[in-house]
Amino acid sequence: MREVNFIWAEDLDGWIGKENSLPWHVPEDMKHFRELTASHPIIMGRKTYESIGQPLPHRQNIVLTHQVIADERLTVVHDVETLDQLIDALPDNQVYVIGGARIFSLMMPLVNKLERTIINGHYNGDVKMPPINYDQWHLIKRDEVRDDKKVNCWFETWELNKEKN
């Protein structure tokens, strides 16, 4: 069975971005992101790709956009139906959706696992994560990341509840 994962970080107020960037710098979160996504395909929108500035190494970079991007290092798709078919055809059964908010919204019907980082702070952003009905999910893991004095962030893994027949 394929696994479509959302992976993102949000602050205590739900902000995920500001001016096409992350509003914080938390090295533990970046390390966690690399460890989870390394060697797996990642899916992003054009703005997220442009904010990164280049394809992320050791991963197939898939960009969902209506625009043309001429970069042979990317797989560019123009609609969710084509993306869904591409995911089914991938040899890897795990893919990670990395943003932005519009891509998360479009992919919501396909996701079955959430990798959420909660940054312990309040940052003024301009983009929030689309609402997720956590009643349809169950938390399977939560790890705190601390320094000497406080919690920096939490890593949470959520799985979609199985339908009861």
Side-chain angles (χ1 to χ4, degrees), residues 16 31 41 43 57 99 126 152 163:
I16 65 171
K31 180 181 178 201
I43 299 166
D126 54 21
N152 290 340
E163 303 238 356

Side-chain angles (χ1 to χ4, degrees), residues 28-143:
E28 300 91 349
D29 177 49
M30 298 312 299
K31 180 181 178 201
H32 181 69
F33 175 88
R34 278 191 307 275
E35 288 173 352
L36 287 177
T37 64
S39 77
H40 298 291
I42 55 173
I43 299 166
M44 68 193 98
R46 177 190 51 83
K47 288 181 182 178
T48 298
Y49 171 68
E50 288 175 353
S51 74
I52 296 168
Q54 64 186 6
L56 293 176
H58 312 296
R59 304 162 189 102
Q60 180 180 1
N61 287 247
I62 303 166
V63 179
L64 176 61
T65 179
H66 291 293
Q67 298 185 9
V68 174
I69 301 176
D71 188 332
E72 67 278 352
R73 301 171 298 170
L74 303 174
T75 303
V76 178
V77 294
H78 300 291
D79 58 68
V80 175
E81 182 178 298
T82 303
L83 179 59
D84 193 26
Q85 293 168 1
L86 174 65
I87 293 169
D88 281 342
L90 291 171
D92 192 336
N93 68 346
Q94 274 192 40
V95 298
Y96 286 86
V97 179
I98 68 170
R102 179 163 162 66
I103 303 305
F104 286 128
S105 290
L106 290 170
M107 298 292 295
M108 197 73 70
L110 304 177
V111 68
N112 48 27
K113 192 171 186 187
L114 307 174
E115 296 289 349
R116 175 172 76 162
T117 300
I118 302 171
I119 306 297
N120 190 14
H122 300 276
Y123 298 82
N124 290 325
D126 54 21
V127 178
K128 285 195 173 191
M129 184 67 181
I132 294 174
N133 180 356
Y134 285 96
D135 290 341
Q136 298 174 356
W137 299 83
H138 62 278
L139 182 66
I140 59 171
K141 186 167 86 169
R142 186 172 203 240
D143 297 318

